[in-house]
């Protein structure tokens, strides 16, 4: 029994001490195929299915109920609206259960038949006074303004990031980090399009937050790669890719620990808070963060560093070193 558990504990110890030897860079063709497949699938999902924009982007109606005397859930509200023919609704309950904010697609007309039916049904469900149920129209302009500002913020962010990494490291690392960020954005949006998750202003805010998170992980890896490859000379016994791969293994535990400790609270907020306890207010934010962080973890391990190695080994000195070592190893075999 002792001999059976010893190897497992040894591997686990080496893993936590950063002494793993997983060949991330050597399997770059496999990661490339997977990454291209994800990007193509995301592009097809966006082209064929499109994004499911919320009423903040498309316009709709908003209802505020205060002073409810009956007990009800968000699902009860959706069921009542569905019976009237309104299938798309965002319901946010107050913590004391006496108020609710409802956003729906646009009603037929202000003070029309459908609006009266909705107010009557909601009053019956909640026990609120129909005269106290406030109904208002939401225009798409606010959501469009948020989108425009988000795109402007994204453009500024990418320019500043490119300048910073080019100065701190070099332009090839800046290019690799930039392409990795774009990968994360495209795949995250593609998942939203494929599954049909609703895009809200909270989703847009979360998307910008994800970029910072993803970049942090990539910079940590690149910093270690820079430190380790500075010692490489023309007579080195390892290629740039081999050293970079070992650097990635050296920070693997740190990257995974950061990802797991970030995903756990976001996952708890999404799956326990929103799904089980009905705290739906932050559901959109948590969903986008969870997907984006998972995609960012994947890309920082198998996209950023292999892409950097491919760019670096286009340089004459690293290409020459690789050629010399491959020739020597081929001759030795």
């Amino acid at each position: 029994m002792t001999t059976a558990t010893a190897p497992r504990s040894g591997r686990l110890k080496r893993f936590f001490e950063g002494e793993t030897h997983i060949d991330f860079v050597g399997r770059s063709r496999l990661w490339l195929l997977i990454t291209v497949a994800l990007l193509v699938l995301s592009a097809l999902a966006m082209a064929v299915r499109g994004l499911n924009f919320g009423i903040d982007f498309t316009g709709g109606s908003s209802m505020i109920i205060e002073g409810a005397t009956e007990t009800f859930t968000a699902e009860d509200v959706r069921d009542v609206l569905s019976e009237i023919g309104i299938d798309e609704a965002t319901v946010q309950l107050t913590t004391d259960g006496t108020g609710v904010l409802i956003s729906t697609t646009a009603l037929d007309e202000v003070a029309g038949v459908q609006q009266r039916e909705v107010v009557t049904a909601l009053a019956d469900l909640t026990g609120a006074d129909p005269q106290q149920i406030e109904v208002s129209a939401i225009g798409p302009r606010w959501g469009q303004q948020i989108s425009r500002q988000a795109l402007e913020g994204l453009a500024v962010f990418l320019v500043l990031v490119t300048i910073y990494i080019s100065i701190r490291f070099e332009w090839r690392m800046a290019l690799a980090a930039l392409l990795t960020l774009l990968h994360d954005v495209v795949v995250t949006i593609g998942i939203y399009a494929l599954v049909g998750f609703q895009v809200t202003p909270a989703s847009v805010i979360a998307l910008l937050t994800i970029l910072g998170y993803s970049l942090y992980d990539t910079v940590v890896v690149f910093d270690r790669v820079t430190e380790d490859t500075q010692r490489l000379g023309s007579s080195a016994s390892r290629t740039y890719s081999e050293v970079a791969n070992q650097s990635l293994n050296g920070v693997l535990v740190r990257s995974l620990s950061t990802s797991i400790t970030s995903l756990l609270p976001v996952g708890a907020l999404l799956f326990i808070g929103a799904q089980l306890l009905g705290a739906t207010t932050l559901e959109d934010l948590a969903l986008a963060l969870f997907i984006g962080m998972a995609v960012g973890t994947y890309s920082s391990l198998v996209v950023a560093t292999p892409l950097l190695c491919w760019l670096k080994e286009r340089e004459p000195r690293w290409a020459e070193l690789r050629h010399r070592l491959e020739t020597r190893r081929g001759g030795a075999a």
Side-chain angles (χ1 to χ4, degrees):
M1 183 173 179
T2 303
T3 55
T5 56
R8 285 200 294 270
S9 61
R11 284 195 292 268
L12 194 62
K13 181 182 178 184
R14 289 196 298 273
F15 174 76
F16 283 113
E17 291 180 350
E19 297 177 356
T20 56
H21 300 284
I22 302 172
D23 192 5
F24 290 105
V25 179
R27 296 189 178 96
S28 56
R29 289 188 178 180
L30 171 65
W31 308 130
L32 177 64
L33 289 175
I34 295 174
T35 301
V36 170
L38 288 175
L39 292 175
V40 170
L41 185 62
S42 299
L44 287 175
M46 286 186 276
V48 175
R49 293 177 58 87
L51 290 171
N52 177 22
F53 287 105
I55 64 170
D56 293 308
F57 294 92
T58 60
S61 298
S62 172
M63 284 149 275
I64 299 175
I65 301 175
E66 296 178 331
T69 57
E70 302 291 338
T71 301
F72 59 93
T73 65
E75 195 60 35
D76 294 333
V77 176
R78 292 192 186 93
D79 289 342
V80 165
L81 294 174
S82 180
E83 291 173 1
I84 306 173
I86 301 173
D87 295 325
E88 185 178 339
T90 302
V91 181
Q92 297 174 339
L93 303 178
T94 59
T95 53
D96 60 2
T98 62
V100 57
L101 170 63
I102 306 169
S103 301
T104 70
T105 51
L107 300 180
D108 290 343
E109 58 180 315
V110 177
V113 174
Q114 189 182 34
Q115 180 173 318
R116 288 197 294 272
E117 289 179 352
V118 169
V119 170
T120 301
L122 292 175
D124 292 341
L125 174 68
T126 62
D129 183 352
Q131 301 299 322
Q132 300 300 318
I133 297 179
E134 180 182 336
V135 181
S136 57
I138 301 174
R141 193 170 177 179
W142 187 77
Q144 291 171 353
Q145 184 180 4
I146 290 291
S147 300
R148 181 177 54 78
Q149 292 174 342
L151 289 175
E152 291 173 353
L154 176 62
V156 173
F157 172 80
L158 293 178
V159 170
L160 292 177
V161 162
T162 303
I163 293 173
Y164 171 74
I165 298 180
S166 297
I167 296 174
R168 172 64 180 83
F169 299 105
E170 59 167 305
W171 69 266
R172 290 179 181 82
M173 287 190 172
L175 179 59
L178 191 63
L179 292 176
T180 304
L181 284 178
L182 293 176
H183 161 275
D184 295 348
V185 172
V186 171
V187 173
T188 301
I189 295 176
I191 291 174
Y192 262 72
L194 187 66
V195 182
F197 292 137
Q198 191 175 77
V199 179
T200 67
S203 307
V204 176
I205 294 169
L207 195 62
L208 295 177
T209 307
I210 291 163
L211 295 179
Y213 172 84
S214 177
L215 183 66
Y216 168 78
D217 224 19
T218 301
V219 167
V220 168
V221 176
F222 283 2
D223 187 57
R224 180 64 177 270
V225 170
T226 300
E227 181 182 336
D228 291 347
T229 54
Q230 280 176 343
R231 294 189 289 268
L232 270 182
S234 58
S235 59
S237 59
R238 293 187 299 169
T239 65
Y240 184 94
S241 293
E242 290 168 345
V243 175
N245 186 73
Q246 191 53 47
S247 301
L248 180 56
N249 276 275
V251 296
L252 179 61
V253 173
R254 178 178 175 178
S255 294
L256 291 178
S257 299
T258 303
S259 301
I260 292 171
T261 52
S262 301
L263 283 169
L264 281 176
V266 176
L269 184 65
L270 176 63
F271 297 111
I272 298 176
Q275 302 298 325
L276 295 182
L277 303 180
T280 58
T281 306
L282 296 177
E283 183 178 15
D284 296 334
L285 183 68
L287 178 63
L289 285 175
F290 190 85
I291 294 173
M293 284 179 177
V295 173
T297 302
Y298 162 81
S299 68
S300 66
L301 294 177
V302 304
V303 176
T305 305
L307 180 58
L308 171 66
C309 292
W310 183 82
L311 289 171
K312 289 293 291 182
E313 293 202 332
R314 306 277 80 74
E315 289 185 54
R317 64 167 178 161
W318 300 128
E320 185 180 341
L321 175 63
R322 183 182 186 87
H323 176 71
R324 182 173 58 78
L325 291 175
E326 287 180 346
T327 303
R328 181 193 301 172
R329 292 168 185 172

